[in-house]
Amino acid sequence: MRVIGIIAFIASWFACATGQERSIPPIPPLPSIEQRAWHELEFYLFMHFGPNTFTDVEWGKGTESEKVFNPSQLDCRQWCRITKAAGAKGIIITAKHHDGFCLWPSKYSSHTVRESGWKDGKGDVLKELSAACREYGLKFGVYISPWDRNHPAYGTPEYNDVYINTMKEVFANYGPLFELWWDGANGEGPNGKKQIYDFKKFENVVREFSPHTVVFSDIGPDIRWVGNEDGVAGETNWNLLDTAGFGRGATSPPTDTLNRGNENGANWIPAECDVSIRPGWFYHAGQDTLVKTPEQLMRLYLLSVGRGSSLLLNVPPDTRGLIHEQDSAALMGFKKLRDKLVPRNLALGVKAVAIDNGKEIETPNLNDGDSRTCWAPEPGKNICTIELDLGGEKSFTTIQLQEGIEFGQRIKSFSLEVEQKAGWKRVASGTTIGYKRILQFPKATAQKIRLNILSSKATPMLSEIAIFSSHYYGDPPKGHRP
Ligand code: FUL
């Protein structure tokens, strides 16, 4: 964990704790400041764009003529306008995909926008997009594929320096970057050789030249792959991961480990759910009718953000260099459904108490609508029951829970009960919570509800309980397919 992370958790410990929680020490590993800020983004867009957009393939060979890259109406402000309206917090673009083509005129490649016919070789997608993101208040991130099927140095030690220079160039000219994406794919290069990457050196360069950037790869160091490209986090999802002995690509941990994390993992490396709004990552006109519907996107949201992860939704610009009408319509529909999912919070400000041996104990901060403040039972109590009186009979389908992750991820299982004439009835149960857990169940009606924390690694530290009367999207699927 970075030193800065230690300072962050001490600072946030005091920000979050207002009472007895001060006497409850955090249990490492803990998120760094950058990771904490990343958790709060929840939903941002991925954009795959490059020669593949024009050649209608997913993996270019790196031998394509640069001239194929020629968007007729490229407009990064249109991308940002739509991103903003969709409620997404940022954009990560494929600055360089596996074909090696650079969307900026890199000094370290001869396979770039400069060699293309677009804007007479004077165009720069990263320049336009980073400026548009700034204008629209969006975060900007880049995917720079380590695998490069074009670069002549690929497969030799020299390529590691090329990759480092490429990163430095992007940091210096287009930063700040909120996230850097290292893809795990690693094939042979133009010279038939495979690269031995110096990832440790790459990491040090990021820390030195772009210290606030979180780095994604199969195993982090900051954000991990979720183990599938369907956008689905594990129902049990620990933000912790053991990386010792593992690498990226073929040597990464098993996909179900990446999906669930390690309960007692040594590092805070939360999962990010990457998935495309279309079957492919790049735009293909033949897939215009296969764009996911707002309902499908909503289910994905529940399976990613609703399971304590983040949703990186790929929306690939088309050959015009615009987000296609089908995709923007789906995004707007998705936004509407999200706005309806969390309407009035029935738990906000209602009477909430912990029940301890028949005694009622106040639970300040728990349902104040502020996820930066926490409540914990007395130190040493790892289970607890919290009762909320909704002030009258109400119907609801959804509970949203948040842990004070500055204290470490603790809760292992919980259940929700509602009071009926015949007594308390369990309507839902779950395992981990983490930054956010959204759990749906068939409509229940009651005045009083109970949240039971059934097991926890240490005294549970909850930052928020919210209850919503939203549409019920049905039982989640068993496997990864939403
Ligand atoms: C994969 C890549 O090989 C795909 O082309 C795509 O970029 C996806 C997000 O990651 O590993």
Side-chain angles (χ1 to χ4, degrees):
M1 187 183 48
R2 292 182 250 177
V3 174
I4 209 157
I6 298 171
I7 300 165
F9 88 67
I10 294 171
S12 48
W13 181 18
F14 283 97
C16 189
T18 54
Q20 71 196 28
E21 312 84 87
R22 282 182 191 246
S23 56
I24 297 176
I27 50 163
L30 304 171
S32 66
I33 291 188
E34 290 77 14
Q35 288 172 317
R36 182 69 173 83
W38 171 88
H39 278 282
E40 286 174 17
L41 297 178
E42 296 190 2
F43 168 48
Y44 39 98
L45 299 191
F46 215 179
M47 294 198 183
H48 278 65
F49 188 53
N52 299 347
T53 312
F54 303 86
T55 52
D56 211 12
V57 301
E58 280 290 311
W59 277 9
K61 293 196 170 73
T63 48
E64 298 77 17
S65 159
E66 294 83 23
K67 302 288 179 221
V68 300
F69 182 84
N70 201 3
S72 51
Q73 304 169 46
L74 182 123
D75 182 359
C76 292
R77 297 180 72 244
Q78 186 246 18
W79 307 359
C80 288
R81 219 168 33 244
I82 293 169
T83 305
K84 190 83 183 175
K89 299 290 168 45
I91 296 175
I92 299 180
I93 184 148
T94 50
K96 180 179 84 141
H97 200 252
H98 310 325
D99 58 16
F101 184 85
C102 300
L103 291 180
W104 77 103
S106 176
K107 275 199 291 199
Y108 305 99
S109 167
S110 56
H111 192 51
T112 79
V113 282
R114 189 184 48 232
E115 286 74 33
S116 77
W118 178 57
K119 291 193 171 175
D120 291 331
K122 304 221 164 45
D124 182 340
V125 181
L126 293 198
K127 188 169 171 200
E128 292 193 24
L129 184 56
S130 56
C133 282
R134 262 195 308 280
E135 180 185 339
Y136 283 86
L138 295 167
K139 304 272 180 204
F140 176 59
V142 289
Y143 170 128
I144 307 179
S145 171
W147 183 26
D148 192 318
R149 302 179 93 177
N150 172 271
H151 206 284
Y154 190 85
T156 69
E158 194 200 326
Y159 176 79
N160 284 327
D161 292 325
V162 171
Y163 190 81
I164 285 171
N165 285 331
T166 304
M167 285 195 299
K168 283 191 192 167
E169 189 178 46
V170 173
F171 297 153
N173 295 327
Y174 310 106
L177 301 165
F178 83 102
E179 184 168 329
L180 170 63
W181 231 80
W182 287 341
D183 192 85
N186 179 18
E188 291 177 355
N191 48 18
K193 289 191 186 148
K194 258 198 166 180
Q195 183 68 31
I196 299 168
Y197 299 104
D198 194 344
F199 275 114
K200 197 65 231 160
K201 200 160 162 196
F202 295 179
E203 253 177 72
N204 293 340
V205 168
V206 182
R207 295 298 190 234
E208 186 180 343
F209 293 89
S210 195
H212 301 302
T213 301
V214 291
V215 178
F216 165 97
S217 81
D218 292 341
I219 54 164
D222 300 311
I223 312 293
R224 74 174 192 265
W225 184 44
V226 76
N228 62 71
E229 292 183 338
D230 303 324
V232 180
E235 197 173 349
T236 296
N237 179 17
W238 291 99
N239 291 307
L240 313 179
L241 190 71
D242 285 319
T243 55
F246 292 111
R248 297 169 172 89
T251 56
S252 69
T255 50
D256 62 330
T257 303
L258 293 173
N259 195 238
R260 299 160 57 96
N262 295 115
E263 184 175 325
N264 296 307
N267 313 285
W268 187 277
I269 308 181
E272 177 185 79
C273 295
D274 60 317
V275 59
S276 188
I277 198 166
R278 293 162 168 258
W281 290 104
F282 283 87
Y283 175 81
H284 308 287
Q287 297 181 349
D288 284 350
T289 53
L290 300 174
V291 174
K292 290 187 174 61
T293 63
E295 286 73 21
Q296 286 173 312
L297 294 174
M298 195 58 214
R299 283 173 211 278
L300 280 176
Y301 178 81
L302 291 168
L303 296 169
S304 53
V305 176
R307 290 179 170 180
S309 185
S310 69
L311 175 58
L312 173 58
L313 179 65
N314 181 61
V315 180
D318 62 17
T319 50
R320 296 170 299 175
L322 296 175
I323 293 181
H324 193 273
E325 293 74 359
Q326 298 285 357
D327 306 51
S328 57
L331 285 171
M332 295 312 119
F334 175 36
K335 171 76 165 73
K336 264 201 191 145
L337 294 183
R338 285 200 328 283
D339 289 347
K340 281 196 203 152
L341 181 81
V342 287
R344 201 165 63 84
N345 172 7
L346 301 175
L348 188 65
V350 303
K351 183 183 173 199
V353 290
I355 310 287
D356 190 357
N357 280 326
K359 269 200 325 225
E360 290 190 355
I361 298 163
E362 282 191 16
T363 57
N365 302 332
L366 203 51
N367 53 336
D368 60 353
D370 181 355
S371 62
R372 287 263 163 182
T373 58
C374 305
W375 173 83
E378 260 174 54
K381 288 208 188 299
N382 289 5
I383 58 171
C384 64
T385 291
I386 297 146
E387 192 172 300
L388 280 84
D389 183 338
L390 302 179
E393 202 155 83
K394 304 272 163 68
S395 294
F396 41 87
T397 57
T398 308
I399 184 165
Q400 181 174 294
L401 300 169
Q402 291 189 263
E403 263 185 277
I405 54 172
E406 298 86 351
F407 292 83
Q409 189 178 359
R410 299 163 174 242
I411 296 171
K412 297 196 326 183
S413 64
F414 65 91
S415 70
L416 179 70
E417 294 176 308
V418 298
E419 192 181 38
Q420 309 284 266
K421 283 205 182 76
W424 290 96
K425 181 182 163 216
R426 180 181 284 204
V427 292
S429 58
T431 54
T432 49
I433 295 176
Y435 173 69
K436 186 173 273 185
R437 180 79 169 97
I438 307 172
L439 189 61
Q440 287 215 304
F441 42 86
K443 186 164 99 182
T445 304
Q447 175 167 348
K448 288 189 177 172
I449 63 169
R450 275 184 175 178
L451 171 69
N452 302 303
I453 302 299
L454 301 173
S455 65
S456 177
K457 285 161 82 174
T459 309
M461 183 67 74
L462 280 163
S463 64
E464 205 54 31
I465 300 182
I467 300 279
F468 305 116
S469 63
S470 326
H471 173 72
Y472 172 52
Y473 284 88
D475 286 345
K478 291 277 173 268
H480 290 158
R481 292 270 162 201

